[in-house]
Amino acid sequence: RSTFLRKSMSEEVEVDFEVIVIGGGVAGCVAAYTLAGQGHEVLLIERAMEPGSKNLSGGVFYCRVMEQVFPDFIHEAPVERRITRNIVSLLNEKSAVNIDYWDQRLAEPANAVTVLRAKLDLWLSEKCEEAGVTVMPGVKVDSLIIENGQVVGVRAGEDELRSHVVVAADGVNSFIAQQAGIRAKEPKKHLAVGVKSVIALPEKVLEDRFNVRDNCGAAYAMVGDATQGVAGGAFMYTNKDSVSIGVVMRLDDLEASGLSSSDVHDHLLTHPAIAPLLEDGELLEYGCHLTIEDGPQMVTHDLTRPGLVIIGDAAGFTLNTGLTIRGMDLAAGSALAASTAVHAALESGDFSQAAMDRYLSELKSSFVGQDMQTYAKAPAFLERPRMYKDYGRLAAEVFYGVFNHDLRPRRHIMKVAMDAFKASGLRLRDLISDGLAGIKAL
């Protein structure tokens, strides 16, 4: 047990650690590593027996923020591939309309990489230990210790651990945020269920099928028949010698549909545009996970209490624009903002509400706060049901009219498009409304 002096006060306060971080994911590890590097005694508590072991596979990580924390991140960290191909796919039952964007400039400097979280989180926790962080895996935090309105530590079973500041990075269903009165239980429309498989393919086979080389990779964002019309989307991205593929569906819409999340996932794997890419692959991993669907609505200006800050998924920092799904970079950015505020509080010995609220100011001026504001309307735009059925079919009918040479005289593409639009049942005002909403949202 150590004694640390609150410099702005006359009394000395005994604590076990200056900072306790709950959660060993990207947000928790970045916060712990940064604060330890600033000379503070930090405890990182992780519920899983090994950091990363309870995470569902991984994702596409827009990783440039990590270079601020680990200058050689792209070469040292266990990343899979650098994403240089981004494909937006409108899937219909028997067709697909793709926007396929490839750009070598996305490889250097690396813009986004695929990661497997079991590998990445373990690496991050090891970097934390090297920086002097005490990592405590296999421990479930049961509650905060609150005295005189201030958070002063945590309870885990019969043990109490005291600190000046607690940083909560305990994921989507953050019970810490709920206990602190920062968040109520989230409504189902703010949450989504994700089902994912990781399928092994020989490296050469994978590169040939996805047209990638030299540690570069591809990422797909899919809507329409990918989720059988349920609000949400699907994803597929290449790891070094495996493919991660899955669906993410808004919880309330999935329940209303009467469909099973696992059946929708399995339906995607058999789609005629997808199945050939996965043919003869070996299933390595399969799982289900709750995630955030409406991050901007979940994030509030109320993310602090005296002695407490909330970061990462626990604070709602996830963005789905339909083109990109971001979480890990926002988690890291929120951790850096929190670290700045917590370091200042520790230096001054002031752990009041005002001191913790510096975190909010740091967030607002960072790319995290600004991007959450920029894309605040994206989730509402993606709620429009026409996004998941009608527009994919309309696009396919237009291209079918262009490429189906059935010996009838050719028509101008505008005529083809107008006839397809009339047959679709869509209304012009809906098309205009959705187009304007998309421009404002994205």
Side-chain angles (χ1 to χ4, degrees), residues 5-11 344-352 355:
L5 179 64
R6 293 185 182 177
K7 296 177 182 179
S8 64
M9 302 180 184
S10 58
E11 79 273 16
L346 291 168
E347 288 293 290
S348 66
D350 179 6
F351 312 106
S352 65

Side-chain angles (χ1 to χ4, degrees), residues 337-405:
S339 299
T340 299
V342 172
H343 173 65
L346 291 168
E347 288 293 290
S348 66
D350 179 6
F351 312 106
S352 65
Q353 183 70 54
M356 296 298 99
D357 282 349
R358 177 171 176 177
Y359 166 49
L360 304 179
S361 300
E362 294 291 335
L363 275 174
K364 187 176 181 179
S365 63
S366 73
F367 76 91
V368 178
Q370 293 181 37
D371 286 1
M372 295 299 287
Q373 179 64 35
T374 297
Y375 296 112
K377 296 180 180 179
F381 169 66
L382 295 175
E383 288 179 10
R384 296 174 180 240
R386 292 176 290 275
M387 299 292 298
Y388 303 103
K389 291 182 180 178
D390 298 325
Y391 291 139
R393 292 172 181 171
L394 174 60
E397 287 303 309
V398 172
F399 283 111
Y400 182 73
V402 171
F403 290 105
N404 177 38
H405 284 251

Side-chain angles (χ1 to χ4, degrees), residues 121-191:
D121 289 9
L122 181 59
W123 180 84
L124 287 170
S125 71
E126 290 171 349
K127 298 298 287 186
C128 285
E129 288 183 316
E130 291 173 11
V133 176
T134 300
V135 179
M136 187 181 292
V139 175
K140 179 180 179 295
V141 173
D142 295 310
S143 64
L144 296 169
I145 302 172
I146 303 175
E147 295 177 354
N148 300 319
Q150 179 167 320
V151 175
V152 295
V154 301
R155 291 187 182 89
E158 297 181 356
D159 295 325
E160 288 192 355
L161 293 165
R162 300 266 172 160
S163 65
H164 292 314
V165 180
V166 172
V167 178
D170 55 328
V172 177
N173 278 329
S174 173
F175 76 93
I176 295 295
Q178 292 180 30
Q179 184 191 348
I182 289 175
R183 274 174 45 191
K185 186 175 181 180
E186 292 297 332
K188 291 179 179 178
K189 71 170 296 182
H190 288 177
L191 301 173

Side-chain angles (χ1 to χ4, degrees), residues 123-315:
W123 180 84
L124 287 170
S125 71
E126 290 171 349
K127 298 298 287 186
C128 285
E129 288 183 316
E130 291 173 11
V133 176
T134 300
V135 179
M136 187 181 292
V139 175
K140 179 180 179 295
V141 173
D142 295 310
S143 64
L144 296 169
I145 302 172
I146 303 175
E147 295 177 354
N148 300 319
Q150 179 167 320
V151 175
V152 295
V154 301
R155 291 187 182 89
E158 297 181 356
D159 295 325
E160 288 192 355
L161 293 165
R162 300 266 172 160
S163 65
H164 292 314
V165 180
V166 172
V167 178
D170 55 328
V172 177
N173 278 329
S174 173
F175 76 93
I176 295 295
Q178 292 180 30
Q179 184 191 348
I182 289 175
R183 274 174 45 191
K185 186 175 181 180
E186 292 297 332
K188 291 179 179 178
K189 71 170 296 182
H190 288 177
L191 301 173
V193 60
V195 184
K196 176 186 287 186
S197 291
V198 180
I199 299 172
L201 288 172
E203 186 173 345
K204 182 63 167 60
V205 171
L206 181 149
E207 291 185 341
D208 288 344
R209 289 184 183 178
F210 289 88
N211 192 26
V212 293
R213 293 289 186 276
D214 302 325
N215 292 321
C216 290
Y220 284 68
M222 300 172 279
V223 295
D225 193 63
T227 59
Q228 295 182 266
V230 177
F235 57 87
M236 179 168 60
Y237 53 83
T238 55
N239 305 310
K240 191 167 186 61
D241 54 6
S242 65
V243 176
S244 294
I245 182 169
V247 293
V248 180
M249 295 168 289
R250 207 176 73 213
L251 200 52
D252 63 333
D253 204 44
L254 176 64
E255 289 187 352
S257 74
L259 296 171
S260 158
S261 59
S262 58
D263 287 346
V264 175
H265 165 273
D266 294 347
H267 173 80
L268 171 64
L269 268 59
T270 62
H271 191 281
I274 302 300
L277 298 173
L278 308 175
E279 189 175 7
D280 297 326
E282 176 189 356
L283 181 64
L284 298 178
E285 181 182 349
Y286 177 88
C288 182
H289 186 64
L290 195 66
T291 186
I292 298 170
E293 177 63 17
D294 196 350
Q297 286 297 315
M298 291 174 66
V299 173
T300 68
H301 297 296
D302 184 19
L303 297 176
T304 60
R305 290 291 184 271
L308 175 70
V309 296
I310 312 292
I311 65 175
D313 281 356

Side-chain angles (χ1 to χ4, degrees), residues 306-325:
L308 175 70
V309 296
I310 312 292
I311 65 175
D313 281 356
F317 289 117
T318 296
L319 272 176
N320 178 8
T321 68
L323 302 176
T324 61
I325 299 175

